[in-house]
């Protein structure tokens, strides 16, 4: 058999790309988990915006499980997270099975709910989001961090280096390069363990309450305000919102900021750091093109206005 790209799919070759890849993997997982857990178990594909290998398993008694294929070291971290966080919105890991070539199959508690963008949250949902984030930050500990400490200078230096190599781009990048260190670098004593990828596709709501927080692959040290600031700016950056949705997002973020104990300076540093991060990623992806600076300036101008609108 060949996949959509013409790759010959040998038996067990679940790493191939193309439209048949997930279907092949689903069939292999079903056979594997029937041997390990339940002869009547079935594994299903389901709609998800995740690019990861995730499936729904239905046991013979009708119970549901979330199944994912991850690297062995990540499987161990997922199990440690579920045990050490012990929060109702963090999925329990039921079992981990070594699979092949350094990969594991992880079976987890099934969590239901829906993704709701920031601009569409009601008052109760905003309060739940604030409460869950506070509980999460309190529960996360340094031993659960997966990423090394951030180098604030590295992101800024990427932009400064681009300006050095393209002198004509310096005026375009001036709003970013002129951010003073105090407004883009967090003092070490203000840092703690955070989720690191806390946007609306990584949590679920059941009614007015958050029912699940997912994807703990980027836990690291930073300002707690960074999680919410990233959630906000990512939405502006990728949401393509009309004027009414933008206004709703502004109002909800101002309300969310008022519900959280983070200082105005922490919000400023977090928002500026994310502005720099988005710009540095674009410049790093196109280091030889002077014209990239025009796109960075345009996008950052919009984000800068967001910062001015929502800062306490």
């Amino acid at each position: 058999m060949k996949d959509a790209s013409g790759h010959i799919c040998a038996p067990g070759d679940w790493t191939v790309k193309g439209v048949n890849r997930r279907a092949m993997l689903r069939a292999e997982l079903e056979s594997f988990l029937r041997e390990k857990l339940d002869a009547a178990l079935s594994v299903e594909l389901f709609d998800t915006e995740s690019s990861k290998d995730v499936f729904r398993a239905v046991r013979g008694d009708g119970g549901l499980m979330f199944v994912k294929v991850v690297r062995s070291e990540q499987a161990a971290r997922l199990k440690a997270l579920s045990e050490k966080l012990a929060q109702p919105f963090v999925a329990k890991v039921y079992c981990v099975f070594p699979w092949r070539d350094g990969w594991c199959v992880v079976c987890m508690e099934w969590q239901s709910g829906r993704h709701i963008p920031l601009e569409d949250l009601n008052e109760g949902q905003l309060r739940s989001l604030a409460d869950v984030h506070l509980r999460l930050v309190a529960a996360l500990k340094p031993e659960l961090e997966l990423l090394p400490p951030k180098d604030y200078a590295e992101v800024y230096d990427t932009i400064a280096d681009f300006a050095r190599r393209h002198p004509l781009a310096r005026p375009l990048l001036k709003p970013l390069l002129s951010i003073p260190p105090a407004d883009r670098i967090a003092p070490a004593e203000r840092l703690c363990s955070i989720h690191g990828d806390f946007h609306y596709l990584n949590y679920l709501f059941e009614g007015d309450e958050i029912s699940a927080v997912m994807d703990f692959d980027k836990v690291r040290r930073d300002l707690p305000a960074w999680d919410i600031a990233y959630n906000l700016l990512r939405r502006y950056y990728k949401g393509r919102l009309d004027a009414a949705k933008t206004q709703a997002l502004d109002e909800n973020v101002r309300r969310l900021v008022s519900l959280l104990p983070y200082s105005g300076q922490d919000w400023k540093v977090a928002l500026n750091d994310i502005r720099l991060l988005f710009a540095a990623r674009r410049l790093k992806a196109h280091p030889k093109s002077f014209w990239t600076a025009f796109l960075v300036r345009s996008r950052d101008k919009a984000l800068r206005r967001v910062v001015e609108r929502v800062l306490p």
Side-chain angles (χ1 to χ4, degrees):
M1 182 178 72
K2 295 183 179 181
D3 74 351
S5 64
H7 181 98
I8 298 175
C9 303
D13 186 2
W14 65 274
T15 61
V16 299
K17 297 180 180 179
V19 294
N20 294 320
R21 178 184 185 282
R22 292 193 74 221
M24 292 170 59
L25 179 54
R26 185 212 65 79
E28 288 202 56
L29 283 173
E30 184 172 86
S31 176
F32 179 80
L33 290 176
R34 282 179 175 178
E35 291 182 6
K36 293 289 185 181
L37 291 176
D38 182 346
L41 177 146
S42 63
V43 174
E44 303 174 345
L45 301 172
F46 69 100
D47 291 333
T48 172
E49 297 180 68
S50 172
S51 61
K52 299 174 183 177
D53 293 315
V54 295
F55 302 87
R56 176 173 52 222
V58 184
R59 299 191 302 266
D61 61 5
L64 300 178
M65 293 189 301
F66 184 76
V67 177
K68 63 193 304 185
V69 179
V70 298
R71 288 287 185 184
S72 300
E73 61 272 16
Q74 186 183 353
R77 290 167 183 160
L78 284 171
K79 188 168 179 59
L81 274 164
S82 71
E83 293 171 351
K84 293 183 179 181
L85 288 180
Q87 295 290 335
F89 48 80
V90 178
K92 297 179 178 66
V93 173
Y94 294 140
C95 46
V96 176
F97 297 114
W99 200 33
R100 59 183 63 164
D101 300 329
W103 295 82
C104 285
V105 177
V106 181
C107 299
M108 304 173 67
E109 175 186 10
W110 181 261
Q111 296 173 297
S112 59
R114 64 190 182 107
H115 299 298
I116 307 178
L118 274 175
E119 66 271 16
D120 294 334
L121 297 182
N122 63 33
E123 179 69 19
Q125 290 161 347
L126 285 169
R127 288 185 176 277
S128 178
L129 182 61
D131 176 64
V132 164
H133 190 254
L134 288 171
R135 290 166 64 187
L136 191 60
V137 169
L140 285 167
K141 303 299 179 186
E143 60 266 25
L144 298 175
E145 293 172 13
L146 303 184
L147 298 183
K150 175 190 289 184
D151 184 349
Y152 282 93
E154 181 182 3
V155 173
Y156 183 86
D157 288 348
T158 296
I159 301 169
D161 180 64
F162 187 95
R164 281 192 295 270
R165 289 183 290 104
H166 302 280
L168 293 177
R170 178 166 284 277
L172 302 173
L173 301 175
K174 184 177 179 181
L176 291 163
L177 293 172
S178 61
I179 300 174
D183 289 345
R184 57 180 170 82
I185 300 175
E189 65 271 14
R190 300 288 297 153
L191 305 182
C192 63
S193 303
I194 67 166
H195 183 279
D197 200 20
F198 197 69
H199 57 79
Y200 85 99
L201 294 177
N202 279 341
Y203 50 78
L204 298 172
F205 279 95
E206 284 278 14
D208 285 354
E209 300 297 323
I210 285 187
S211 57
V213 177
M214 305 165 290
D215 286 353
F216 288 85
D217 296 344
K218 296 183 180 179
V219 176
R220 57 179 174 76
R221 292 188 71 73
D222 211 320
L223 292 169
W226 198 97
D227 271 342
I228 306 300
Y230 179 69
N231 198 341
L232 160 66
L233 291 188
R234 186 184 187 276
R235 190 68 190 136
Y236 278 105
Y237 200 69
K238 295 191 173 186
R240 298 181 180 179
L241 307 177
D242 60 25
K245 288 291 188 182
T246 298
Q247 182 178 356
L249 181 54
D250 285 351
E251 291 172 357
N252 272 357
V253 171
R254 281 193 290 267
R255 181 65 181 136
L256 191 55
V257 167
S258 74
L259 291 170
L260 290 163
Y262 313 139
S263 71
Q265 183 62 19
D266 282 0
W267 287 114
K268 181 183 292 186
V269 170
L271 289 162
N272 282 334
D273 180 60
I274 296 162
R275 286 174 54 205
L276 291 163
L277 177 64
F278 287 169
R281 283 177 178 172
R282 177 64 60 174
L283 296 174
K284 204 168 185 177
H286 304 280
K288 296 181 180 180
S289 174
F290 157 76
W291 300 104
T292 307
F294 282 95
L295 178 61
V296 167
R297 180 188 67 168
S298 174
R299 290 185 172 180
D300 183 64
K301 185 177 181 180
L303 295 183
R304 194 164 70 248
R305 289 174 178 167
V306 173
V307 174
E308 293 167 356
R309 291 199 303 268
V310 304
L311 272 178

